[in-house]
Amino acid sequence: MAVETLPARTPVRPAPTRSGPTPRWRSKETLAAWLFILPSLIGFLVFTAGPVVAAGVISLLNWNLFSSPTFAGLKNFARLGPDPTFWSALGNTVYFTFVSVPLTILVSLALALLLNQGLRRIAVFRSLLLLPYATITVAVAFVWIWLYIPQDGLVNAVLGWFGISGPAWLISDDWAMPALIAMSVWKSFGFGMVVFLAGLQAIPQQLYEAAKVDGSSAWQTFRSVTLPMLSPSLFFVVVTSIIGSFQVFDQALIMTNGGPGSRTTTLVMYIYRTGFENYDQGYAAAQSLVLFGFIVVITAAQFVLQRRLVHYDN
Amino acid sequence: MSPELSRRGFLKYTGLAGAAAASTGLLSACSSTPSGAATWAMWSSSPAERKVWSDFSNYVERQLQVESIPTLTPSGGYPTKLDLQLVSGTAGLVTALNGTLIPTYAARGAHRPLDDLIAADPDFDPADFYPAIQKISTFNGRTYAIGFDVAPTVLYYNKTLLAKAGIAAPSPTEPMSWETFRDLAKELTRPPDQYGFTCAPAIDDLVSWIYCAGGNVMSQDGSRSILNAPEAESAIQFVIDLFVRDKVTPPIRNLVTESSLSNFMEGNVAFMQNGPWQVVNVRKAKFDWDVIPFPAGAAGSTPRVSGSSFAIPAGVKGEKLDLAWRLLKTLTSAGALDIYAKAGRNNPARRSAGSAFKPPPDNLGVVQDILAGKVAGGHPYDVTTNWNQVRQLLGQDLPRTFLGQVAVPETLDGLTPRLDVLMKQHQDNVRQAEARKG
C-alpha cells in the first residue's frame, strides 16, 4: 500500500502589515509590566547602580570632598597592597562571615525543624523567635555590651554557675570577635528560620509518606527528602547571609569600635573611616569596589554551585 | 591632559555617570532654606543642650531682626552631617566646630579665614577672647573661627570620700605633684568598692599628662611624632601604671561605653580628670565635690585646654557673608555666651562673659584663673590637619596598654613610624593649604 505523504510545508510567517498585530514590546501587558517595574528600576539606578558607577569614578581620584579632585589613576588601588589595616579588616570580615553564616544557618534550620513538628501555638513561637531579627541592631548591641560585662554581666554569671570563669569578652584579643559573632547569630537566626519554615511547609507530605513506606530512618529522610527539597531556601539564605556578613558594620562599631587593637575592625568600618573620618574619598571608593568585587565573585561561585546542589522540583 | 579636574567638571562627569546628580538635586531641593534667614549648625545631644541653643536662637532673632534657623545634630554624627551639608551647599551661614577639627576643615578649604572680616569691623574686639581659644581657632597663621567656649582639664574630687578617709581637701591654688597624687589615689583605693582615680583610656585624656611632663604627640612643627620621647613615654607609663600596676582605677569593662564620668558619679571614686564642661552633669552628684588644678608633672600643671568655635563656610559670599559675619558675632557675643554660661554648659570663650559661669562648686573660679594665667597653667590642644586619623591610630593601639595587654614601650615603638607617616601627610596638607592661600 502506498503511503501517502504530505508535502512538506514551510511555515509561513505572515507578512508584516501596518494594521497587523501590535509588536510584543508595545503590547499592553509589556507596558504594564514596565510600569510596575519602573519604581524599582528607578530606585536601583539612583541608589545602587548610580553610586557604584560614581564609586568607580571616585576611586580614580584624590578627593577630600572640598578641594578640587585630582586624577590619581589606579594609585588608590595600588595603596591597598601595602596597607596592613585593609588586609587585617578584610581578614576579620572573612573570619566573621565564615563562622557566623554557618552557625546562623544551623541555628535557623534547627529551630525551623523544631517549629515544623506540629507544635501548638506555632505562630507565637515564630513571632518570639523572630523578635531579635526585628529589633534594631543598635539597641541589641547595647544590651549585649551589658551582657558581656566581665565582672557582673549575665554571660559570665551563667558561666560561673558551671564553674567557668568567663573572659573579658569585648576587650579580649581572643574573644572579642567570637563575642560579636555570637551576638550576630542571635540577631540574625530569625530571618533564616522563617524562610526555612516556609520551605519546610511547602514540601509535599507524599514524599515523607513514601520514605516512611520505604522504611527510611529519620536521618535518611532528612538527607534524602528534606534537604534536597529545602535546598532552594538554603541557597537563598546562604547567599543573602554571606552578602550581609561581608557588610557587617553597626554591631562592631557599637560594641567594640573595632578593638581591641584592630581585632574586630571590619572592612565596611574601615571604608567608612577612610571616607568620612579621614576624608580620603578616592581610597575609600577603591576599597568599596574591592569589597564589591569580593561579594560578586563569591555570589557568582555560589550560583555556579547552585546548578549541582540546589534541587528545584520543576 | 592636565591631571587636575575642576570641581564642576568632576560633578558633571559623575552626574553623567549615574544618578548621583539626581540624588544631589533631590537633596538640594529638600534642604533649601529661606534666603535672608540666619542659618547655623550646632551639635546637640540632650534636651538641656537643645534649650540652650533655642535660647541662642531667640537671642539672635532679637539682635539681628531676622529669622534664626539652627540645625541641631547629635554630637556623634555632627561632623559627617556637616561634611555633607558643606559639599551639597546646604550648610548654614555659620557652623560650630570642635577645636580639634578646625585645622582639618581649614586645610581642606571648607571654611574661610576671618582675618579680613575682623580687620574691617571696629566693633569686634578679639582681645576679649582668651589667648588659648584664639590659638585653637587659628591655622597656618590665619583665624578660621571665633570661640564660644574654652577650658582646661581640671581634677574633680569627691570631698565626701576624702573627708571619710580623714584626708584634707587638696589646695585649690597649688597643684599637687604626681607623686602626691599617686600616693593619695593608692590610699583611697579599696577594691572592689572604692577607687582612687578615673579617666578615659584614650589620647584625649592622656595628653594632659604628656603636656605636664613636657612632652607632646608631635614635634612643634608637626613634622614627626615624639610620642616615644622620654617625656611623653614617662607620662604615658605613669598613667598606665595607675591602671595596670597600682590598680587605683575602676576595672575597664569595655572600651566603648567606658566613662570616667559615670565611674565618678557612682560616688566611690576619689579623683576624676575632666573638663569644666562636665560641671553641669556633676552637679547632679549625691555627694560633696569640687575641682582643683591638674597635678603638676616635670613641666608643671599644664593640662590640655580645649575649646569650640563658630566658623563661616568657604561657600558663603556676597550679601550672605555680611549676614554670616553679623550672625557669627552675635553667636559669640557676651550676651549669647552669658546664656551659655548661665546654663552651666562650659566656661565661655570671652573674658567679659566669664562671670556668668558661676559656682558651685566652690573652686569653679580656678578655671578662669588658669586661663588668665593666675593659677597653674594650660596648654592648647595641639592637633594636626589629619587629627581624626591620628586619634584613630592612637585609639586603636593605646587602649591595649590600659588593659595591660601590651607594654608601653612596645606600643610606642609600633606607633611611632605610623604616626610619622601621618605627620608627613599633615605637612603635605599644610603645604597644599599654603599654596591655595598664595
Side-chain angles (χ1 to χ4, degrees), chain A residues 46 53 61 63-64 66-69 71 145 149-152 171 173 254-256 261 272-273 277-279, chain B residues 3 5 10 17 19 80 83 86-87 104-105 108 251-256 388-389 392 396 400 403 405 436:
Chain A
V46 172
V53 174
L61 304 172
W63 189 35
N64 74 4
F66 297 101
S67 305
S68 296
F71 185 67
I145 284 176
I149 285 175
Q151 293 81 19
D152 40 14
I171 52 179
D173 276 3
I254 293 161
M255 291 174 73
T256 60
Y272 170 76
R273 284 179 171 164
E277 290 182 0
N278 305 340
Y279 308 110
Chain B
L5 264 169
F10 166 70
T80 305
D83 285 335
L86 288 167
V87 171
T104 303
Y105 279 97
R108 289 191 297 152
I252 296 174
R253 298 166 153 207
N254 65 74
L255 291 171
V256 176
N388 270 340
Q389 279 171 280
Q392 217 174 79
Q396 183 182 307
R400 300 177 81 205
L403 298 168
Q405 292 171 348
R436 270 203 307 277

Side-chain angles (χ1 to χ4, degrees), chain B residues 46-390:
Chain B
S46 67
E49 283 181 279
R50 275 196 293 280
K51 168 80 172 66
V52 170
W53 302 126
S54 165
D55 290 345
F56 259 58
S57 188
N58 295 335
Y59 181 78
V60 165
E61 289 192 348
R62 280 199 306 275
Q63 295 296 312
L64 298 182
Q65 297 295 310
V66 296
E67 188 186 3
S68 164
I69 305 178
T71 303
L72 304 180
T73 309
S75 53
Y78 180 79
T80 305
K81 184 168 178 183
L82 180 60
D83 285 335
L84 295 174
Q85 289 175 327
L86 288 167
V87 171
S88 62
T90 57
L93 297 174
V94 168
T95 66
L97 288 181
N98 184 299
T100 56
L101 287 177
I102 290 173
T104 303
Y105 279 97
R108 289 191 297 152
H111 289 85
R112 77 182 308 285
L114 303 174
D115 302 282
D116 56 334
L117 299 170
I118 294 169
D121 190 339
D123 294 338
F124 185 76
D125 177 17
D128 193 27
F129 291 82
Y130 287 105
I133 192 64
Q134 290 186 44
K135 184 170 187 292
I136 288 168
S137 303
T138 302
F139 167 70
N140 227 10
R142 291 174 145 194
T143 303
Y144 277 86
I146 306 294
F148 63 88
D149 67 14
V150 64
T153 299
V154 291
L155 208 55
Y156 288 69
Y157 74 99
N158 184 328
K159 282 171 98 168
T160 308
L161 202 67
L162 264 69
K164 246 189 231 173
I167 295 169
S171 164
T173 51
E174 283 299 315
M176 67 179 108
S177 70
W178 283 11
E179 289 69 31
T180 307
F181 169 73
R182 180 168 55 197
D183 291 344
L184 266 180
K186 278 178 171 176
E187 197 179 336
L188 287 157
T189 297
R190 281 151 212 171
D193 301 319
Q194 187 177 308
Y195 293 94
F197 172 63
T198 179
C199 75
I203 188 63
D204 283 349
D205 277 10
L206 265 179
V207 286
S208 287
W209 301 91
I210 294 171
Y211 294 162
C212 289
N216 205 327
V217 176
M218 63 277 193
S219 58
Q220 202 168 5
D221 61 357
S223 63
R224 63 194 170 84
S225 161
I226 54 166
L227 204 59
N228 62 345
E231 296 85 0
E233 187 170 335
S234 68
I236 295 171
Q237 189 66 60
F238 179 84
V239 180
I240 300 305
D241 282 348
L242 293 175
F243 277 78
V244 178
R245 192 191 63 190
D246 305 325
K247 296 186 190 299
V248 299
T249 58
I252 296 174
R253 298 166 153 207
N254 65 74
L255 291 171
V256 176
T257 60
E258 200 64 42
S259 160
S260 55
L261 177 66
S262 62
N263 284 336
F264 187 70
M265 293 296 278
E266 282 176 19
N268 58 356
V269 174
F271 295 100
M272 166 183 74
Q273 75 171 82
N274 220 315
W277 50 85
Q278 292 296 6
V279 161
V280 68
N281 294 315
V282 185
R283 278 179 183 152
K284 295 169 197 153
K286 294 188 171 85
F287 51 86
D288 200 8
W289 58 281
D290 213 326
V291 295
I292 48 171
F294 200 79
S301 172
T302 53
R304 78 171 159 110
V305 177
S306 306
S308 301
S309 307
F310 282 108
I312 298 178
V316 177
K317 292 186 172 102
E319 283 177 13
K320 282 185 172 180
L321 182 58
D322 176 57
L323 178 58
W325 175 241
R326 286 190 294 129
L327 172 61
L328 193 151
K329 275 202 306 175
T330 308
L331 289 168
T332 57
S333 65
L337 298 193
D338 271 347
I339 297 171
Y340 188 69
K342 271 179 190 152
R345 304 306 308 171
N346 194 4
N347 187 67
R350 274 181 184 273
R351 298 170 208 264
S352 58
S355 58
F357 192 50
K358 288 176 185 162
D362 295 342
N363 299 341
L364 191 57
V366 79
V367 169
Q368 282 151 30
D369 288 345
I370 293 170
L371 289 170
K374 292 179 194 162
V375 168
H379 185 304
Y381 198 169
D382 286 332
V383 295
T384 59
T385 55
N386 52 359
W387 191 247
N388 270 340
Q389 279 171 280
V390 173

